[in-house]
Structure formats: structure tokens, C-alpha cells
Amino acid sequence: MSGKITKEDMEEMREIFGKIDLDNDGHICDYELHELLKDTGFSVPGYKVREIIQKLDRNNDNKISFEEFLSIVQDLRGSEVAKTFRKVINRKEGILAIGGTSELSSEGTQHSFSEEERYAFVNWINTALEKDPDCQHVLPMDPNTDSLFTSVGDGIVLCKMINLSVPDTIDERTINKKKLTPFTIQENLNLALNSASAIGCHVVNIGALDLKEGKPHLVLGLLWQIIKIGLFADIELSRNEALAALLRDGETLEDLMKLSPEELLLRWANFHLENAGWQKINNFSSDIKDSKAYFHLLNQISPKGTEEDQPRIDINMAGFSEKDDMKRAEAMLQQADRLGCRQFVTPADVVSGNPKLNLAFVANLFNKYPALTKPENEDIDWGLLEGETREERTFRNWMNSLGVNPHVNHLYGDLQDAIVILQLFEKIKVLVDWNNKVNMPPYPKLGTNMKKLENCNYAVDLGKGAKFSLVGIGGQDLNDGNPTLTLAVVWQLMRRYTLNVLEELGDGEKVNDDIIVKWVNKTLAEAGKSTKISSFKDKEISSSLAVLELIDAIQPGSINEELIKTGSLSEDDKLENAKYAVSMARKIGARVYALPEDLVEVKPKMVMTVFACLMGRGMKRV
């Protein structure tokens, strides 16, 4: 590609130049080039960097201006230097553009993606779905190509990965697997996206078309969220009581329960490092680059032969004293491989300190070899360890799917400063005065609680202004994490959010429960269906027949009658119907957050959201 530089080339070069020019002085110096190479896992000695600079520096001032950079681009284009240079920039760009966030950027901006993530996720998916007969048409994928982005295009792999992370989210009977057409593929992608949303993935900016086209940054962003939910599922005290071994002096279970999965993982790693007599780490990026902490961690958690089902595995520490970082990382990963845990990172990912992939590597280690013993301590109040209720989980997943920041791990603890609640008010179109009325973290050491309480009071004021029913609820209740009263506020936010969607579809006409019930019955009757509902408390709803018939009324022919259990139904029959109904609702495009059990038990709040979401989907037909 010699010859004239096009306008696009020029813009690309300026972007590359800007990425290397860290201090924005319009020149690249040896330090900046050295940093770039180091960050991307290519640790090049100083003299090599100076050699590159000398080759590019036309006016001998020991630095490169943009003009010099441009003038040598043509020479470079055909040379090996150019290829490695471009590769390095791409790798750096991948880390820069996607970083450690799951914030999905909107259309129209330049998106790069991380090759490291692609490589890691492909290997993880290949292993996870290796024996799944429905995925053999795309597996195994080649981690060194873009096959991942075409393989997710029919929705099957995504649906399967969601079920691996949160079992039974999707009723397998609703996945289209044979003789796929553009329409049945679209249904699979709807099912995957709406189910991902229901387990708490932020999918607001992703459409079925983006996945069908395999847009790399969106596919990787979604996959990371799905994989992370699965990896983090058991890093939670109520599901893993042995985590109480990580309690420090003077701490209660409540203190430990407030920690996020990331914080618990860090504490877990440091617990084992302390036992090994090694210094603690503060992160899974810069502090693990030399692999030494990992060596000690593997040595601590490897099976010691004391459990019957786990033969002893001795970690070979010889690689610990290896001089070269990359070789030491490879030696460490060979030991991890003996534990069956070499997933997510390559030596380069360890040495460059890729935070996302190292977090996944450690989470996988924890899941396979926690090496913790539940303390037999009389002082511990195990009664505190109730897992979250279905309702709490649904609310939490709903919030996270809307992209609130910070991510909500614990419903009450994470809402105590009201920052998330205020973001939810914005989602229901209530104006929030962030500049004058909200105290943003980090909070001062003195008076932290006061600042949080002021936010909570403001949130309650906004609720009253939005005509919420808040009798007997004050900011203090949110600040205390009072479950009943916090849920009352959160439910009203979710309800208003759901009704707003309907009002927007219905040209702003007000919607309430009665209007939804009337719409449901009218739609059922017009389609010649026999079911009807009297309210969201109607016990007949427990069979899910009204939901299934409504789905078929909205999208005729979508329901397979043979799969519906009718007549006198056992609880198991009802649950089978409900699972089919919830997945089918998602498949025809309704973003349902409720769970099958909510229908079987006829939980009025959640039942209302199911019918409201279906009404929204039904109104979109016109």
C-alpha cells in the first residue's frame, strides 16, 4: 500500500499517534514508545526502542513529530517494523477501548476490540460447550480468527452460555435448533438478549442485528457479562459458607456480606498468600505481573490428598526463580494446568496485568479449589446468612440490566447511599439535580453517613414528587437498608418504568392495572382464546395458560400446543408451563424479568410485569 496517503489513512495515523503521545506535546519520545510496548506485553530493551526512534527520526532531534511519523509510514507499510508496530497499536487500542468496563458505546464511534478477550472467551466456550450436541455446527471455534463473531450469529451458543451461568434461565424447548431461517434466528437472538437482561446483563445498546452481524465489541461485552455472572455465582456467603473463614478480627458476617465478589476474591487470594508468608496484593493487574503471587496461591490451594475424591497434586515451584517474566508466567500456567485451571490468561495477559482476564482466571481457581474450611466459631450468627429472595434477585437483575453504576451485588447494602436509586429515578424520567442535591462518592472520612443520608432523603423527596406511595418511609430507612421499605421504593420504580414503556407506545395515555387487564382479555377474546383473567391475583394464572394463549394471540402460531400441560395440573406441570411461558415471552420480544415460580405462585407484582411486557410487545405490532 505505497503511494498517496488517503484521508482515512491520515485520520487513522493521527489517532495512532495520539495514543502513543502520552503527554500530548505533539512528539513521540523513547519513554512513550517504551511504555506503549511494555503495556502491550512486548517488553523491549531500551536500546531497541532508541533504535526504532532513530529509524523514524528524520531531523535528528531524538523524537518523532507527526509529520515525520507520516512521511515514514509509506516506507514502513511494506516492512516488518510496520506489521509489528500496527499489531502493537492494535493490542494497545484493544485494551484502551474496552478496558475493564462493560459500558457499551453507542453507534458512530470507533470500536476496537481486545484480541486477548476473544482468545480467552473462545477457549472457555469451546471447553464449556464441548459435549453439547446443539453446538457442534460451530464448535470448536478457532481462537486465532474471528470465528467467534460468526458463531454467535444464530443465538444458540449465547442461549447455552446463559444457561451455564444461571441454570434453567432459558427453557431449552424454546431454542430454535434445526433448519434455521432469518426469522427463527431473530427469535433465538431475542431470546438470548431478553434472557441476558433477566439475569442482570446490561444490554440496552445491543440489538439482535448487532449479534447477527457479529459486531466484535458488542459480542465481547455481552459474553464477558454472561461469563462473569457464572464465575461469580458462588462467590457469595449465603451460597458458600466457608467464605466466613475470611473474617478478620473484629468483623461480623454482615461486614463480609457487604463485599463485592471482586473484593471477596482479593481477600481470598490474600488469605492464602498470608498463609504462604508472601506479601499481599491489592489488585489482579499490576500486583500479579511477575506471577510470584500466583505460584504461592496455586501451592496453597492445590489438593493435599486429605480429601478422598481429590488426589494430591504437588505444585512444582521451580519456575518461581525464572529470571524472565514471560517464562515465569508460562511455568506458573503449566502448574495451573495441572489443576485444570489454565483458562482465561496467556503468559502475555499475566505479564501485561490484563485486569479483566486475570480476574476471571482467579475466579475460576476459587470455584475449583477454594481451599477454605467453614469456621466452627460460636460467635458467628449463621442466621444472618439467608440467601436473597427471588423478588430481591429480580429487582437486582432489573437494575443491573439498566446499566446502573456501581453494579448492584447486594440489594440493600448497595442502595444505602441512594446513588443507584437516583439513577433509577432518571430512568423513569424524573429530573435529578446531580450538581446541587447529590453527594457523590468518594465520601469524606468524617460524616460519610450524613452525606449518604442526605442522598436518601432527597430520593424519598423525589418519590413523593413522582406521586409514589411512601407513607411511613423516610430516607433513614433506605440508609439503614430496611428490607421491606427499600423494596417498597424499588418496586414502585420498577412498576413506573414498566408503565412508562406502555405509555410511550400508547401515545402518552395513562396506563394502570385495570387497563392492562382489559387489554389482555380483549386480545385473548379477539384471537378466539378461551382464557381470561380477573386481576393479577387471579389464581387461574398459576397454570400459565392465559400467558401462553396471550403469546399465541400476539404472535400466532408461536406456541407449540403439544408442549402445554392442560387439565388437572400438578405443581410440576404448572412449573413446566410457566418455564415455557416465560421463555416464549422473551423469544417473541418481551423483556420479562419475572421468574416461572412467580407465575405458579401468582405473585401479583411480578404477574403484572409479565402482562405489561406482553402488552408492550403486542402494541408494537401496529
Side-chain angles (χ1 to χ4, degrees), residues 174-238:
T174 61
I175 304 173
N176 299 320
K177 298 171 182 176
K178 299 274 184 291
K179 294 183 181 155
L180 296 175
T181 65
F183 178 73
T184 56
I185 286 172
Q186 170 87 18
E187 285 189 320
N188 279 350
L189 292 168
N190 283 342
L191 178 59
L193 277 172
N194 289 325
S195 302
S197 189
I199 64 169
C201 295
H202 177 35
V203 299
V204 171
N205 294 0
I206 311 177
L209 190 62
D210 297 319
L211 298 177
K212 198 172 179 180
E213 290 174 357
K215 289 189 178 166
H217 65 291
L218 294 177
V219 169
L220 290 174
L222 178 59
L223 276 174
W224 168 239
Q225 292 185 75
I226 295 168
I227 290 170
K228 188 172 163 187
I229 286 167
L231 285 172
F232 282 6
D234 289 330
I235 309 174
E236 207 263 309
L237 260 163
S238 63

Coordinates of all heavy atoms in Angstrom, one line a residue, residues 174-238:
T174 N -37.5 -23.9 23.8 CA -37.9 -22.7 23.1 C -36.7 -22.3 22.1 O -36.9 -21.3 21.4 CB -38.2 -21.5 24.0 OG1 -37.1 -21.2 24.8 CG2 -39.4 -21.9 24.9
I175 N -35.6 -22.9 22.2 CA -34.5 -22.5 21.3 C -34.7 -23.2 20.0 O -34.9 -24.4 19.9 CB -33.1 -23.0 21.9 CG1 -32.9 -22.5 23.3 CG2 -31.9 -22.6 21.0 CD1 -31.6 -23.0 24.0
N176 N -34.6 -22.4 18.9 CA -34.7 -23.0 17.6 C -33.4 -23.6 17.2 O -32.4 -22.9 17.2 CB -35.1 -21.9 16.5 CG -36.4 -21.2 16.9 OD1 -37.4 -21.9 17.3 ND2 -36.5 -19.9 16.7
K177 N -33.4 -24.9 16.9 CA -32.1 -25.5 16.7 C -31.9 -26.1 15.2 O -30.8 -26.3 14.8 CB -31.9 -26.7 17.7 CG -31.9 -26.2 19.1 CD -31.9 -27.3 20.1 CE -32.0 -26.8 21.5 NZ -32.1 -27.9 22.5
K178 N -33.0 -26.4 14.6 CA -32.9 -27.1 13.3 C -33.4 -26.2 12.1 O -34.3 -25.3 12.3 CB -33.7 -28.4 13.3 CG -33.3 -29.4 14.3 CD -32.2 -30.3 13.8 CE -31.8 -31.4 14.8 NZ -31.1 -30.9 15.9
K179 N -32.8 -26.3 11.0 CA -33.3 -25.6 9.7 C -33.6 -24.2 10.0 O -34.7 -23.7 9.9 CB -34.6 -26.3 9.2 CG -34.3 -27.7 8.7 CD -35.6 -28.3 8.1 CE -35.3 -29.8 7.7 NZ -36.5 -30.6 7.6
L180 N -32.6 -23.5 10.4 CA -32.8 -22.1 10.8 C -33.0 -21.2 9.6 O -32.4 -21.3 8.6 CB -31.5 -21.6 11.6 CG -31.3 -22.3 12.9 CD1 -30.0 -21.8 13.6 CD2 -32.4 -22.1 13.9
T181 N -33.9 -20.2 9.8 CA -34.2 -19.2 8.8 C -33.9 -17.8 9.4 O -33.7 -17.7 10.7 CB -35.7 -19.2 8.5 OG1 -36.4 -18.8 9.6 CG2 -36.2 -20.6 8.0
P182 N -33.8 -16.8 8.6 CA -33.6 -15.4 9.3 C -34.6 -15.2 10.4 O -34.2 -14.6 11.4 CB -33.8 -14.5 8.1 CG -33.4 -15.3 6.9 CD -33.8 -16.7 7.2
F183 N -35.8 -15.6 10.2 CA -36.8 -15.3 11.3 C -36.6 -16.1 12.6 O -36.6 -15.6 13.7 CB -38.3 -15.6 10.8 CG -39.3 -15.4 11.8 CD1 -39.7 -14.1 12.2 CD2 -39.9 -16.5 12.4 CE1 -40.7 -13.9 13.2 CE2 -40.9 -16.3 13.4 CZ -41.3 -15.0 13.8
T184 N -36.2 -17.4 12.4 CA -36.0 -18.2 13.6 C -34.7 -17.8 14.3 O -34.6 -18.0 15.5 CB -36.1 -19.7 13.3 OG1 -35.1 -20.0 12.3 CG2 -37.4 -20.2 12.9
I185 N -33.8 -17.3 13.5 CA -32.5 -16.8 14.1 C -32.8 -15.6 14.9 O -32.3 -15.4 16.0 CB -31.5 -16.5 13.0 CG1 -30.9 -17.8 12.5 CG2 -30.3 -15.6 13.5 CD1 -30.0 -17.7 11.2
Q186 N -33.6 -14.7 14.4 CA -34.0 -13.5 15.1 C -34.7 -13.8 16.4 O -34.4 -13.2 17.4 CB -35.0 -12.7 14.2 CG -35.7 -11.5 14.9 CD -34.9 -10.2 14.8 OE1 -34.0 -10.1 14.0 NE2 -35.2 -9.3 15.7
E187 N -35.5 -14.9 16.4 CA -36.2 -15.3 17.6 C -35.2 -15.8 18.7 O -35.3 -15.4 19.8 CB -37.2 -16.5 17.3 CG -38.4 -16.1 16.6 CD -39.4 -17.2 16.6 OE1 -39.0 -18.4 16.4 OE2 -40.6 -17.0 16.8
N188 N -34.2 -16.6 18.2 CA -33.1 -17.0 19.1 C -32.4 -15.9 19.8 O -32.0 -15.9 20.9 CB -32.1 -17.9 18.4 CG -32.6 -19.3 18.3 OD1 -33.6 -19.7 18.8 ND2 -31.9 -20.1 17.5
L189 N -32.1 -14.9 18.9 CA -31.3 -13.7 19.4 C -32.1 -12.9 20.4 O -31.6 -12.4 21.4 CB -30.8 -12.9 18.2 CG -29.7 -13.6 17.4 CD1 -29.5 -12.8 16.1 CD2 -28.4 -13.8 18.2
N190 N -33.5 -12.7 20.1 CA -34.4 -12.1 21.1 C -34.4 -12.8 22.4 O -34.3 -12.2 23.5 CB -35.8 -12.1 20.5 CG -36.1 -11.1 19.5 OD1 -35.3 -10.1 19.3 ND2 -37.2 -11.3 18.7
L191 N -34.5 -14.1 22.3 CA -34.5 -15.0 23.5 C -33.2 -14.8 24.3 O -33.2 -14.6 25.5 CB -34.7 -16.5 23.0 CG -34.7 -17.5 24.1 CD1 -35.8 -17.3 25.1 CD2 -34.8 -18.9 23.5
A192 N -32.1 -14.8 23.6 CA -30.8 -14.6 24.3 C -30.7 -13.3 24.9 O -30.3 -13.1 26.1 CB -29.6 -14.8 23.3
L193 N -31.0 -12.2 24.2 CA -30.9 -10.8 24.7 C -31.8 -10.6 25.9 O -31.4 -10.0 26.9 CB -31.1 -9.8 23.6 CG -30.0 -9.5 22.7 CD1 -30.4 -8.6 21.5 CD2 -28.8 -8.8 23.5
N194 N -33.1 -11.0 25.7 CA -34.0 -10.8 26.8 C -33.7 -11.6 28.0 O -34.0 -11.2 29.2 CB -35.5 -11.0 26.3 CG -35.9 -9.9 25.4 OD1 -35.5 -8.7 25.6 ND2 -36.7 -10.2 24.4
S195 N -33.2 -12.8 27.8 CA -32.8 -13.7 29.0 C -31.5 -13.1 29.6 O -31.4 -13.2 30.8 CB -32.5 -15.1 28.5 OG -33.7 -15.6 27.9
A196 N -30.6 -12.6 28.8 CA -29.4 -12.0 29.4 C -29.8 -10.8 30.3 O -29.2 -10.6 31.4 CB -28.4 -11.5 28.3
S197 N -30.7 -10.0 29.8 CA -31.2 -8.9 30.6 C -31.8 -9.4 31.9 O -31.6 -8.8 32.9 CB -32.3 -8.2 29.7 OG -32.7 -7.0 30.3
A198 N -32.6 -10.5 31.8 CA -33.2 -11.0 33.0 C -32.2 -11.5 34.1 O -32.6 -11.6 35.2 CB -34.2 -12.1 32.6
I199 N -31.0 -11.9 33.6 CA -30.0 -12.3 34.6 C -29.1 -11.2 35.1 O -28.1 -11.4 35.8 CB -29.2 -13.6 34.2 CG1 -28.3 -13.2 33.0 CG2 -30.1 -14.8 33.9 CD1 -27.3 -14.3 32.6
G200 N -29.4 -10.0 34.6 CA -28.7 -8.8 35.0 C -27.6 -8.3 34.1 O -26.8 -7.5 34.5
C201 N -27.6 -8.7 32.8 CA -26.7 -8.1 31.9 C -27.2 -6.8 31.4 O -28.4 -6.7 31.1 CB -26.5 -9.1 30.7 SG -25.7 -10.6 31.1
H202 N -26.3 -5.9 31.2 CA -26.7 -4.6 30.6 C -26.7 -4.7 29.1 O -25.6 -4.7 28.5 CB -25.7 -3.5 31.1 CG -25.9 -2.1 30.5 ND1 -27.1 -1.6 30.3 CD2 -25.0 -1.2 30.1 CE1 -27.0 -0.4 29.8 NE2 -25.8 -0.1 29.7
V203 N -27.9 -4.7 28.5 CA -27.9 -5.0 27.1 C -28.7 -3.8 26.3 O -29.1 -4.0 25.2 CB -28.6 -6.3 26.7 CG1 -27.8 -7.5 27.3 CG2 -30.0 -6.4 27.2
V204 N -28.8 -2.7 27.0 CA -29.6 -1.6 26.4 C -29.1 -1.2 25.0 O -30.0 -0.9 24.2 CB -29.6 -0.4 27.4 CG1 -30.2 0.8 26.7 CG2 -30.3 -0.8 28.7
N205 N -27.8 -1.2 24.8 CA -27.4 -0.8 23.5 C -27.1 -1.9 22.5 O -26.5 -1.6 21.4 CB -26.0 0.0 23.6 CG -26.2 1.3 24.4 OD1 -27.3 1.6 24.8 ND2 -25.1 2.0 24.7
I206 N -27.6 -3.1 22.8 CA -27.3 -4.2 21.9 C -28.6 -4.7 21.3 O -29.6 -4.9 22.0 CB -26.7 -5.4 22.6 CG1 -25.5 -4.9 23.4 CG2 -26.2 -6.4 21.6 CD1 -24.8 -6.0 24.2
G207 N -28.7 -4.8 19.9 CA -29.9 -5.4 19.3 C -29.5 -6.7 18.7 O -28.4 -7.1 18.5
A208 N -30.6 -7.4 18.3 CA -30.4 -8.7 17.6 C -29.5 -8.6 16.4 O -28.6 -9.5 16.1 CB -31.7 -9.4 17.3
L209 N -29.7 -7.5 15.7 CA -28.9 -7.3 14.4 C -27.4 -7.2 14.7 O -26.6 -7.7 14.0 CB -29.4 -6.1 13.7 CG -28.9 -5.9 12.3 CD1 -29.3 -7.1 11.4 CD2 -29.3 -4.6 11.7
D210 N -27.1 -6.5 15.8 CA -25.6 -6.4 16.2 C -25.0 -7.8 16.4 O -23.8 -8.0 16.0 CB -25.5 -5.6 17.5 CG -26.0 -4.2 17.3 OD1 -25.8 -3.6 16.3 OD2 -26.7 -3.7 18.3
L211 N -25.8 -8.7 17.0 CA -25.2 -10.0 17.3 C -25.2 -10.8 16.0 O -24.2 -11.6 15.8 CB -26.1 -10.7 18.3 CG -26.1 -10.0 19.7 CD1 -27.1 -10.8 20.6 CD2 -24.8 -9.9 20.3
K212 N -26.2 -10.7 15.2 CA -26.2 -11.4 13.9 C -25.1 -11.0 13.0 O -24.4 -11.8 12.3 CB -27.6 -11.1 13.2 CG -27.9 -12.1 12.1 CD -29.3 -11.9 11.6 CE -29.7 -12.8 10.5 NZ -31.0 -12.6 10.0
E213 N -24.7 -9.7 13.1 CA -23.6 -9.2 12.3 C -22.3 -9.4 13.0 O -21.2 -9.2 12.4 CB -23.8 -7.7 12.0 CG -24.9 -7.3 11.1 CD -25.2 -5.8 11.0 OE1 -24.5 -5.1 11.7 OE2 -26.0 -5.4 10.2
G214 N -22.4 -9.9 14.2 CA -21.1 -10.2 15.0 C -20.3 -9.0 15.2 O -19.0 -9.1 15.1
K215 N -20.9 -7.9 15.7 CA -20.1 -6.7 16.0 C -19.2 -7.0 17.2 O -19.6 -7.3 18.3 CB -21.0 -5.5 16.3 CG -21.7 -5.0 15.1 CD -22.4 -3.7 15.3 CE -23.0 -3.2 14.0 NZ -24.0 -2.1 14.3
P216 N -17.8 -7.0 17.0 CA -16.9 -7.6 18.0 C -17.1 -7.0 19.4 O -17.2 -7.7 20.4 CB -15.5 -7.3 17.4 CG -15.8 -7.3 15.9 CD -17.1 -6.7 15.7
H217 N -17.1 -5.6 19.5 CA -17.0 -5.0 20.8 C -18.3 -5.3 21.6 O -18.3 -5.5 22.8 CB -16.8 -3.5 20.7 CG -17.9 -2.7 20.1 ND1 -18.1 -2.9 18.7 CD2 -18.8 -1.9 20.5 CE1 -19.1 -2.1 18.4 NE2 -19.6 -1.5 19.5
L218 N -19.5 -5.5 20.8 CA -20.7 -5.8 21.5 C -20.8 -7.2 21.9 O -21.3 -7.6 23.0 CB -21.9 -5.4 20.6 CG -22.1 -3.9 20.3 CD1 -23.2 -3.6 19.3 CD2 -22.3 -3.1 21.6
V219 N -20.3 -8.1 21.0 CA -20.3 -9.6 21.3 C -19.4 -9.8 22.5 O -19.8 -10.5 23.5 CB -19.8 -10.4 20.1 CG1 -19.6 -11.8 20.5 CG2 -20.9 -10.3 19.0
L220 N -18.2 -9.2 22.5 CA -17.3 -9.5 23.7 C -17.9 -8.9 25.0 O -17.8 -9.4 26.0 CB -15.9 -8.9 23.4 CG -15.1 -9.6 22.3 CD1 -13.8 -8.8 22.0 CD2 -14.8 -11.0 22.7
G221 N -18.5 -7.7 24.8 CA -19.1 -7.0 26.0 C -20.2 -7.9 26.6 O -20.2 -8.0 27.9
L222 N -21.0 -8.4 25.8 CA -22.1 -9.3 26.3 C -21.6 -10.6 26.9 O -22.0 -11.0 28.0 CB -23.1 -9.6 25.2 CG -24.3 -10.5 25.5 CD1 -25.1 -9.9 26.7 CD2 -25.2 -10.7 24.3
L223 N -20.7 -11.2 26.1 CA -20.1 -12.5 26.6 C -19.4 -12.3 28.0 O -19.5 -13.2 28.8 CB -19.1 -13.1 25.6 CG -19.7 -13.9 24.5 CD1 -18.7 -14.3 23.4 CD2 -20.5 -15.1 25.0
W224 N -18.7 -11.2 28.1 CA -18.0 -11.0 29.4 C -19.0 -11.0 30.5 O -18.8 -11.5 31.6 CB -17.1 -9.8 29.3 CG -16.6 -9.3 30.7 CD1 -16.8 -8.1 31.3 CD2 -15.7 -10.1 31.6 NE1 -16.1 -8.1 32.5 CE2 -15.5 -9.3 32.7 CE3 -15.2 -11.4 31.5 CZ2 -14.7 -9.7 33.8 CZ3 -14.4 -11.8 32.6 CH2 -14.2 -11.0 33.7
Q225 N -20.1 -10.2 30.3 CA -21.1 -10.1 31.4 C -21.7 -11.5 31.7 O -21.9 -11.8 32.9 CB -22.2 -9.2 30.9 CG -21.8 -7.7 30.8 CD -23.0 -6.8 30.5 OE1 -23.8 -6.6 31.3 NE2 -23.1 -6.4 29.2
I226 N -22.0 -12.3 30.7 CA -22.6 -13.6 30.9 C -21.6 -14.5 31.6 O -21.9 -15.2 32.6 CB -23.0 -14.3 29.6 CG1 -24.1 -13.5 28.9 CG2 -23.5 -15.7 29.8 CD1 -24.4 -13.8 27.4
I227 N -20.4 -14.5 31.2 CA -19.3 -15.4 31.8 C -19.1 -15.0 33.2 O -19.0 -15.8 34.1 CB -18.0 -15.4 30.9 CG1 -18.2 -16.1 29.6 CG2 -16.9 -16.0 31.7 CD1 -17.1 -15.9 28.6
K228 N -19.0 -13.7 33.4 CA -18.7 -13.2 34.8 C -19.8 -13.5 35.8 O -19.5 -13.9 36.9 CB -18.5 -11.6 34.7 CG -18.0 -11.0 36.0 CD -17.8 -9.5 35.6 CE -17.7 -8.6 36.9 NZ -17.6 -7.2 36.5
I229 N -21.1 -13.4 35.3 CA -22.2 -13.8 36.2 C -22.0 -15.3 36.7 O -22.3 -15.6 37.8 CB -23.5 -13.5 35.5 CG1 -23.8 -12.0 35.5 CG2 -24.7 -14.2 36.2 CD1 -24.9 -11.6 34.6
G230 N -21.6 -16.1 35.7 CA -21.4 -17.5 36.1 C -20.3 -17.8 37.0 O -20.3 -18.5 38.0
L231 N -19.2 -17.1 36.7 CA -18.0 -17.2 37.5 C -18.2 -16.7 39.0 O -17.6 -17.3 39.9 CB -16.8 -16.4 36.9 CG -16.1 -17.0 35.7 CD1 -15.1 -16.0 35.1 CD2 -15.4 -18.3 36.0
F232 N -19.0 -15.7 39.1 CA -19.2 -15.0 40.4 C -20.4 -15.7 41.2 O -20.6 -15.3 42.3 CB -19.5 -13.5 40.2 CG -18.3 -12.7 39.9 CD1 -17.0 -13.3 39.7 CD2 -18.3 -11.3 39.9 CE1 -15.9 -12.6 39.5 CE2 -17.2 -10.6 39.6 CZ -16.0 -11.2 39.4
A233 N -21.1 -16.6 40.6 CA -22.3 -17.1 41.2 C -22.1 -17.6 42.6 O -22.9 -17.4 43.5 CB -23.0 -18.2 40.3
D234 N -21.0 -18.3 42.8 CA -20.8 -18.9 44.2 C -19.9 -18.1 45.1 O -19.5 -18.6 46.2 CB -20.3 -20.4 44.0 CG -21.3 -21.3 43.4 OD1 -22.5 -21.0 43.7 OD2 -21.0 -22.2 42.7
I235 N -19.4 -17.0 44.6 CA -18.6 -16.2 45.4 C -19.5 -15.2 46.3 O -19.5 -14.0 46.1 CB -17.5 -15.3 44.6 CG1 -16.8 -16.3 43.6 CG2 -16.5 -14.6 45.5 CD1 -15.9 -15.6 42.6
E236 N -20.2 -15.9 47.1 CA -21.3 -15.2 47.8 C -21.5 -16.0 49.1 O -21.7 -17.2 49.0 CB -22.5 -15.1 46.9 CG -23.4 -14.0 47.2 CD -24.6 -14.4 48.1 OE1 -25.2 -15.4 47.8 OE2 -24.8 -13.7 49.1
L237 N -21.6 -15.3 50.2 CA -21.6 -16.0 51.5 C -22.8 -17.0 51.7 O -22.6 -18.1 52.2 CB -21.6 -15.0 52.6 CG -20.2 -14.8 53.3 CD1 -20.3 -13.5 54.1 CD2 -19.9 -15.9 54.2
S238 N -24.0 -16.6 51.3 CA -25.1 -17.5 51.5 C -25.0 -18.8 50.7 O -25.6 -19.8 51.0 CB -26.4 -16.8 51.2 OG -26.5 -16.4 49.9

